[in-house]
């Protein structure tokens, strides 16, 4: 069973367009940035637990916990061949190796492992939404660059646990410009359970404003809410929320309207 789980991860990696998939990467810049940040946070949690701060963030956690661990030799041979031919950077190759080995290690050592989130799933999802990354002063996700930060800042970062494809797609929909999210609150609605959410995008040098609400059609659509609020024409209040909070709302609404579990 553990061999099949590791092979499944390898097959996911085989489907990634590692070289020059610019259109896909730029279409998913918002979700790719969030997924990379969540990987950095999870990697910091595992590194702290095992005293691997020096190895953080792009490392094979299995290799650090148990250097002698080995798994199915056929899968390992295929993995080595795949990494040699297809994966562009040593840093990316280390995480791919770690992601493939992890299910087998987790199955073998489940009782010994701490209750921490899967370290590699956010990174696997990010790879599937436009390929890999490169690291210099910033982390270049080929369409957007994010700060590297340090170990402590990533350890304390806000979690991003909403990893459904539909949620990630909604965050990426028409997501150009500088985006601020708002939750509609009041009359029994709070920022964690709002009446709805709105985003304001400021696009281009002139800062052209686009206000959009996430609707029952499960997509962002134009709204007059912000303009009417600023004119004093409606009584529904709002508070600014993080992109992660917006994602949680999108996921809960999608599950409620589609009956997904």
């Amino acid at each position: 069973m553990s061999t099949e789980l590791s092979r499944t991860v390898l097959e996911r990696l085989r489907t990634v367009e590692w070289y020059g998939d610019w259109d896909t990467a730029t279409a998913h810049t918002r979700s790719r940035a969030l997924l990379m940040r969540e990987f950095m946070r999870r990697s910091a949690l595992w590194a702290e637990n095992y005293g691997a701060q020096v190895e953080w963030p792009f490392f094979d956690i299995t290799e650090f916990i148990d250097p002698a661990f080995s798994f199915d030799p056929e899968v390992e041979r295929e993995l080595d061949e795949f990494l040699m031919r297809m994966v562009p950077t040593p840093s990316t190759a280390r995480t791919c190796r770690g992601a493939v080995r992890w299910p087998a290690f987790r199955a073998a050592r489940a009782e010994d492992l701490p209750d921490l989130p899967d370290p590699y799933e956010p990174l696997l999802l990010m790879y599937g939404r436009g390929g890999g990354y490169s690291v210099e002063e910033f982390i270049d996700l080929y369409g957007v660059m994010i700060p590297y930060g340090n170990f402590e800042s990533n350890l304390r970062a806000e979690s991003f646990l909403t990893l459904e494809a539909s949620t990630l797609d909604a965050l990426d929909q028409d997501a150009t410009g500088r985006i601020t999210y708002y939750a509609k609150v009041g009359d029994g609605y709070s920022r964690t359970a709002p009446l709805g959410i709105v985003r304001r995008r400021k696009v281009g040098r002139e800062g052209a404003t686009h206000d959009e609400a996430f609707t029952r059609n499960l997509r962002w659509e134009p709204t007059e809410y912000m303009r009417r609020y600023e004119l004093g024409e409606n009584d529904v209040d709002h508070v600014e929320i993080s992109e992660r909070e917006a994602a949680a709302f999108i996921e809960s609404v999608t599950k409620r309207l589609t009956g997904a579990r």
Side-chain angles (χ1 to χ4, degrees), residues 62-74:
T62 297
E63 187 176 65
F64 187 85
I65 298 174
D66 183 0
F69 176 76
S70 61
F71 70 126
D72 185 87
E74 180 61 22

Side-chain angles (χ1 to χ4, degrees), residues 53-244:
Q53 289 89 334
V54 174
E55 305 293 329
W56 175 87
F58 303 110
F59 69 110
D60 178 349
I61 296 171
T62 297
E63 187 176 65
F64 187 85
I65 298 174
D66 183 0
F69 176 76
S70 61
F71 70 126
D72 185 87
E74 180 61 22
V75 177
E76 191 157 26
R77 183 192 64 77
E78 292 181 30
L79 174 62
D80 289 340
E81 181 180 290
F82 167 74
L83 295 177
M84 186 181 305
R85 288 189 302 104
M86 297 301 300
V87 179
T89 66
S91 172
T92 310
R94 282 195 299 275
T95 60
C96 288
R97 181 178 297 280
V100 172
R101 284 158 52 88
W102 178 250
F105 182 76
R106 183 181 57 199
R109 299 279 296 274
E111 295 181 358
D112 302 328
L113 295 175
D115 184 20
L116 293 174
D118 187 305
Y120 293 109
E121 184 60 23
L123 202 59
L124 290 169
L125 290 171
M126 193 209 77
Y127 289 150
R129 300 177 74 81
Y133 62 90
S134 60
V135 178
E136 294 183 10
E137 184 177 353
F138 290 85
I139 302 175
D140 187 350
L141 302 180
Y142 311 139
V144 64
M145 290 193 293
I146 64 173
Y148 201 102
N150 57 40
F151 182 82
E152 290 299 327
S153 66
N154 281 277
L155 190 64
R156 297 192 304 270
E158 183 182 0
S159 62
F160 178 61
L161 305 178
T162 49
L163 304 181
E164 292 291 335
S166 57
T167 304
L168 300 175
D169 289 343
L171 292 174
D172 288 327
Q173 181 207 326
D174 303 324
T176 56
R178 302 180 302 280
I179 300 178
T180 307
Y181 295 91
Y182 301 93
K184 295 181 182 180
V185 297
D187 295 329
Y189 296 99
S190 65
R191 69 182 295 156
T192 57
L195 176 62
I197 60 171
V198 177
R199 72 180 184 185
R200 168 163 283 183
R201 297 189 294 119
K202 291 186 176 293
V203 181
R205 292 184 179 180
E206 301 302 318
T209 299
H210 301 267
D211 293 333
E212 297 148 339
F214 191 75
T215 72
R216 293 180 63 86
N217 295 324
L218 303 181
R219 60 180 291 106
W220 296 100
E221 297 179 338
T223 180
E224 291 292 307
Y225 165 79
M226 296 295 287
R227 185 184 69 82
R228 292 181 59 196
Y229 183 87
E230 289 162 356
L231 292 173
E233 295 180 358
N234 67 44
D235 298 326
V236 179
D237 206 350
H238 59 269
V239 294
E240 184 175 336
I241 59 174
S242 70
E243 195 165 28
R244 292 165 173 81

Side-chain angles (χ1 to χ4, degrees), residues 30-46:
R30 309 294 299 196
S31 62
R32 278 170 57 80
L34 284 164
L35 290 167
M36 173 57 82
R37 291 189 183 106
E38 176 62 11
F39 165 73
M40 300 280 280
R41 184 187 77 87
R42 294 187 184 193
S43 180
L45 290 173
W46 283 93

